[in-house]
Amino acid sequence: KGEITGIITKERNDAHRLIEDLMIAANEAVARHFDGHEWPCVYRIHEPPDEDKLERFLSLARAVVKDSGLTPKKVDVKSARGLSILVADLKQHRLKGALDYLLLRAMMQAKYAPDNLGHFGLGSTAYLHFTSPIRRYPDLIVHRLLKEHIASKRKLTNGRIEELAEYTDAISASSSELERRATGIERKVSALYGA
C-alpha cells in the first residue's frame, strides 16, 4: 500500500568488510597507476577538515573527556584515524550526537576532481572510484581512461593530454554537482518516509 513497515539497520558482517576492503584497495591501485603515469583522470578527493571548525570540535571533545573523567588516548587529531579513535572513546557520552554533528560540520565534502589531492577520510594519498562502472558514471570514465591508457602504450600527444584534461575537469565538476543533488533528494525522501 506504499506505507513504510519498518526501518532497520543493515547488518555488516566480515564478508561485507572484506569486499569493501578489496574494493578500496582496487580503487587506490588504479588511482596510484594514473597518478604515477601523470595521466588525466577523475579522482575521488576528500580534503582535510576546516581548521577552525575542527578546533571547535576538539575544544568540546576535550571538555567532554575531561568532564567524563576519561583518559584520552594519545592520537593525532589531524588524521582521520585519530579522529575516529577519539570519537569511539566518546561513543557512550550523552553529548555524542553534538560531537558527531560538530565533526561532520568540520569535514569537507568528498567530491570528484581532475587533480589527485588525496582522500582524508580514508587516509589515502591516491583514490578514485573504479569498482562500480555500472552504477557510477565516474567509475565508467575511469574504466574508459584505463582502457585507452593500456592501448596507447603510455604514449600520448600533447593535444590528446590537453583534450583528456579538459574532459576529466568537466566530468569531475558535473559528477560532483549531480552527486550533491542526488544526496539532497535522498535526504528529503528519507525524511518524508522516515518521519
Side-chain angles (χ1 to χ4, degrees):
K1 296 179 182 178
E3 296 176 10
I4 299 296
T5 59
I7 298 175
I8 58 170
T9 304
K10 210 179 208 182
E11 182 188 338
R12 284 185 72 233
N13 60 32
D14 290 341
H16 294 116
R17 283 187 280 279
L18 175 63
I19 290 168
E20 190 173 286
D21 287 346
L22 292 171
M23 290 173 74
I24 289 171
N27 290 337
E28 287 177 322
V30 174
R32 284 191 306 271
H33 175 82
F34 277 107
D35 200 40
H37 288 96
E38 298 178 351
W39 256 65
C41 195
V42 177
Y43 292 94
R44 180 67 171 177
I45 66 166
H46 185 227
E47 296 168 275
D50 177 276
E51 295 270 338
D52 294 335
K53 291 178 181 178
L54 181 60
E55 194 49 51
R56 281 196 290 276
F57 162 76
L58 292 172
S59 178
L60 179 61
R62 287 183 193 113
V64 166
V65 166
K66 187 177 179 181
D67 178 57
S68 302
L70 296 169
T71 306
K73 295 180 179 96
K74 284 277 191 190
V75 293
D76 173 14
V77 291
K78 301 287 183 184
S79 75
R81 177 115 174 94
L83 286 172
S84 66
I85 290 169
L86 177 62
V87 169
D89 281 348
L90 301 168
K91 69 180 174 192
Q92 300 301 322
H93 198 277
R94 61 185 172 80
L95 293 178
K96 169 98 168 65
L99 287 167
D100 286 346
Y101 177 76
L102 280 177
L103 182 57
L104 185 61
R105 299 301 304 160
M107 290 293 166
M108 302 301 262
Q109 187 172 17
K111 61 184 176 184
Y112 296 100
D115 301 313
N116 177 23
L117 302 177
H119 196 292
F120 177 83
L122 294 173
S124 180
T125 57
Y127 189 76
L128 51 67
H129 279 160
F130 170 76
T131 53
S132 298
I134 62 170
R135 88 182 165 89
R136 277 191 306 243
Y137 190 59
D139 300 48
L140 178 62
I141 296 305
V142 170
H143 274 255
R144 290 176 179 169
L145 290 168
L146 186 59
K147 183 178 178 181
E148 181 175 348
H149 185 242
I150 291 167
S152 73
K153 307 282 191 240
R154 297 178 172 81
K155 294 176 187 170
L156 277 185
T157 65
N158 285 343
R160 182 62 178 147
I161 288 174
E162 288 173 16
E163 185 181 314
L164 284 175
E166 287 178 19
Y167 178 66
T168 56
D169 189 41
I171 293 296
S172 297
S174 66
S175 294
S176 292
E177 172 57 35
L178 290 170
E179 180 184 44
R180 281 191 296 276
R181 202 179 319 164
T183 299
I185 292 168
E186 190 177 308
R187 285 183 184 140
K188 287 178 183 175
V189 169
S190 292
L192 178 67
Y193 287 106

